[in-house]
Amino acid sequence: MTAIDDTGTLPRFASLDPVSGEEIGSFPVDDERTVREKVARARRASGAWERLGHSGRRPLLLAWRRVMARRLPEIITLMERENGKVKADALIEMTAALTHLDWAARHSRKVLGRRRVPSGLLMANQYATVEYRPFGVIGVIGPWNYPVHTPLGSIAYALAAGNAVVFKPSEYTPAIGAWLADTFAEAVPGHEVLILATGDGRTGAALCTAGADKIAFTGSARTGARVLASCAPSLTPTLLELGGKDALVVAADADVDAAVESALWGACSNAGQSCAGIERVYVAAPVYERFLARCVERAQELRAGTDFGPVTMPGQLDVIRRHIDDALARGGRAVVGGPESVRPPYVHGPVVLADVPEDSAAVREETFGPVLVVNRVADAEEGVARANDSAYGLGGAVFARRDARRLAERMRTGMVSVNDVLSFPAVPSLPFGGRGASGFGRIHGPDGLREFTVPKAVTRKLFDVPLAVSTYARGAKDMQRLQRLVTFLNSR
């Protein structure tokens, strides 16, 4: 809901508890002019932040980490209220988020700092270096499903690289976004390099055209395409972390009980609202019945409201219900739950579907809820082939004792977990991102730091060389010598 703010200038919107409907807070819908002013403020602050250098920014970012850690109970409670997470999911998210902030602060100099590179024989008189310089101002448009960990994967790495950031959180989690900005201001006074912009899709669209040097967006493929189109006229580069339809492949020699536990965790943690969550499972025929029976047994023990929270975005419940209905209409079986499980604001208990046709919505489209499709395949090879038959290519998982590495290498995704699920987002030195409809660009790790920088190459002449061909003072004999040298060097 929206209303005009006290000054009569900007409309405001309310953030609501997805379970009770209680108002969490009221926030302005920043318009285009306001967003441009915030980008300009960030740019004015970016110079001093960049001049601090990696060694100067490191203690400030670590101070931010300490402030967030000290106020951990506060943000966990806010995530439970505004985002609907159960406490365990909120704590796990914060653990990963703080780990990434720490890693970015401590490793930015090593990854991005100036280093010498080989000049090659023909340019042996040149001292060559490369370093990675910040863009300036990064616009970060965050999601609601992981309102701290996901945007911090861009914010922390962008700040560590020397950029200022204008952060637009989801309209479903603005209070969490404000908490991030407030804790940064507490930890790093005097550097206005993390500026909050609140609002709905109009505010996000304004940020795309407000003069930021790069946009980092996390959300649906459809919205990502609009972000890309908005940034195209100004040639503003983008990082797009979009959806997924991640699959788990279970080989005949897998630890079936462990695979079941991981499949259900990957499907139901955060109420299934994970872009890299497990939505499809392909089980080799020799262990299919055992896997399905154990999956049914364990799924019936999980409870909405206790083991996982509500569906945060009300409209997603319609998508979840449509996917279940379509799967059943096409001949699939609901072995746990069914359409009746979708009772707002929860999906009550996991919904496990079996024998679902590969052309159904529940297999082809992102469900984003605690729904798991379990299908039989002849063997793990067929499972990988079906997993790859998707427009998405974010993450995946393989459970196998033999050939696990080979199967993982064959999966056309940006990330794979072996004998586990969702392990890669918590490893700070690994890049996170996908391919195809899952977007492009990377957060986390060295690739994530470089994502928010521009490589800068410098050569410095150390001495003159007898064969000086890059000058009009050269003679015909110089070019003859060059030709003989090039032929010799490239004929070996």
Side-chain angles (χ1 to χ4, degrees):
M1 78 187 192
T2 59
I4 301 300
D5 72 358
D6 295 337
T7 65
T9 56
L10 289 176
R12 298 184 71 86
F13 69 101
S15 171
L16 306 177
D17 184 317
V19 176
S20 68
E22 176 189 1
E23 182 173 322
I24 305 299
S26 176
F27 300 86
V29 180
D30 288 346
D31 59 15
E32 185 175 353
R33 179 179 62 84
T34 304
V35 173
R36 284 192 172 275
E37 289 174 351
K38 290 184 174 183
V39 170
R41 278 166 48 201
R43 192 169 303 284
R44 288 193 294 271
S46 65
W49 182 252
E50 179 183 354
R51 287 191 294 273
L52 286 174
H54 299 291
S55 58
R57 292 187 293 268
R58 170 175 165 163
L60 299 179
L61 293 173
L62 293 178
W64 185 26
R65 182 206 58 179
R66 288 192 295 272
V67 168
M68 286 197 283
R70 188 176 70 245
R71 295 173 60 176
L72 193 61
E74 180 184 313
I75 185 59
I76 287 175
T77 298
L78 183 57
M79 292 166 79
E80 290 179 279
R81 293 184 62 215
E82 186 177 50
N83 197 222
K85 292 183 187 293
V86 296
K87 185 174 183 178
D89 283 345
L91 179 57
I92 289 169
E93 177 173 349
M94 287 305 301
T95 301
L98 295 175
T99 298
H100 279 284
L101 174 56
D102 180 83
W103 193 93
R106 294 183 188 278
H107 289 81
S108 66
R109 182 175 183 177
K110 179 180 179 181
V111 174
L112 305 177
R114 184 185 298 118
R115 70 178 189 274
R116 187 176 183 179
V117 295
S119 300
L121 183 59
L122 288 176
M123 302 297 287
N125 68 324
Q126 299 287 337
Y127 186 93
T129 62
V130 63
E131 62 181 319
Y132 296 84
R133 307 297 301 171
F135 275 98
V137 177
I138 306 295
V140 175
I141 303 175
W144 50 264
N145 59 328
Y146 288 98
V148 176
H149 175 254
T150 298
L152 207 65
S154 294
I155 294 169
Y157 287 77
L159 290 171
N163 300 279
V165 173
V166 177
F167 171 40
K168 190 270 176 192
S170 167
E171 56 266 41
Y172 291 98
T173 54
I176 294 172
W179 186 90
L180 283 173
D182 289 345
T183 53
F184 183 85
E186 177 185 336
V188 191
H191 290 282
E192 196 180 17
V193 290
L194 178 56
I195 298 175
L196 188 72
T198 57
D200 53 20
R202 293 168 293 177
T203 304
L207 183 55
C208 292
T209 59
D213 298 297
K214 186 168 188 173
I215 297 294
F217 168 80
T218 303
S220 70
R222 178 179 298 178
T223 306
R226 291 202 294 267
V227 168
L228 192 60
S230 297
C231 292
S234 59
L235 299 179
T236 302
T238 57
L239 184 162
L240 301 180
E241 199 276 277
L242 309 178
K245 191 68 181 178
D246 289 11
L248 186 159
V249 176
V250 182
D253 65 346
D255 182 333
V256 172
D257 287 345
V260 167
E261 293 298 324
S262 289
L264 288 171
W265 164 254
C268 298
S269 62
N270 202 39
Q273 300 168 127
S274 303
C275 56
I278 299 298
E279 298 197 2
R280 301 176 289 157
V281 185
Y282 294 108
V283 186
V287 294
Y288 177 78
E289 295 298 340
R290 183 154 60 97
F291 180 97
L292 189 61
R294 180 59 178 162
C295 187
V296 169
E297 180 184 353
R298 288 292 289 124
Q300 290 173 337
E301 297 172 0
L302 301 180
R303 296 289 180 268
T306 302
D307 297 301
F308 56 87
V311 173
T312 305
M313 193 168 68
Q316 195 63 31
L317 288 164
D318 296 331
V319 175
I320 294 168
R321 186 182 294 108
R322 175 173 63 82
H323 285 194
I324 297 171
D325 289 341
D326 180 70
L328 299 180
R330 291 172 180 268
R333 297 181 294 133
V335 294
V336 179
E340 70 281 1
S341 302
V342 184
R343 302 194 303 276
Y346 291 97
V347 175
H348 287 266
V351 176
V352 180
L353 305 172
D355 305 324
V356 179
E358 291 292 306
D359 60 351
S360 68
V363 173
R364 308 305 298 179
E365 302 173 17
E366 187 174 36
T367 305
F368 227 59
V371 178
L372 189 65
V373 171
V374 182
N375 279 349
R376 183 196 309 259
V377 289
D379 52 29
E381 296 287 347
E382 183 186 351
V384 170
R386 290 204 189 181
N388 288 341
D389 185 19
S390 172
Y392 295 102
L394 188 57
V398 172
F399 268 74
R401 288 190 172 92
R402 299 183 305 274
D403 289 337
R405 179 62 181 267
R406 185 180 61 80
L407 292 168
E409 289 176 348
R410 287 192 56 224
M411 294 191 78
R412 289 199 296 270
T413 58
M415 305 158 293
V416 182
S417 294
V418 175
N419 295 328
D420 201 355
V421 295
L422 287 172
S423 52
F424 39 76
V427 179
S429 54
L430 284 177
F432 184 98
R435 55 191 293 180
S438 293
F440 49 80
R442 294 294 183 269
I443 58 175
H444 303 169
D447 295 88
L449 283 169
R450 294 189 189 102
E451 192 74 42
F452 298 104
T453 61
V454 179
K456 185 169 185 177
V458 176
T459 58
R460 177 166 55 91
K461 189 170 77 170
L462 299 175
F463 52 86
D464 292 328
V465 293
L467 189 60
V469 297
S470 57
T471 169
Y472 287 116
R474 69 192 177 214
K477 290 185 177 180
D478 292 317
M479 301 310 295
Q480 292 170 1
R481 293 191 191 101
L482 177 61
Q483 181 172 337
R484 288 195 297 269
L485 180 59
V486 170
T487 301
F488 171 76
L489 291 176
N490 291 281
S491 299
R492 293 181 296 170

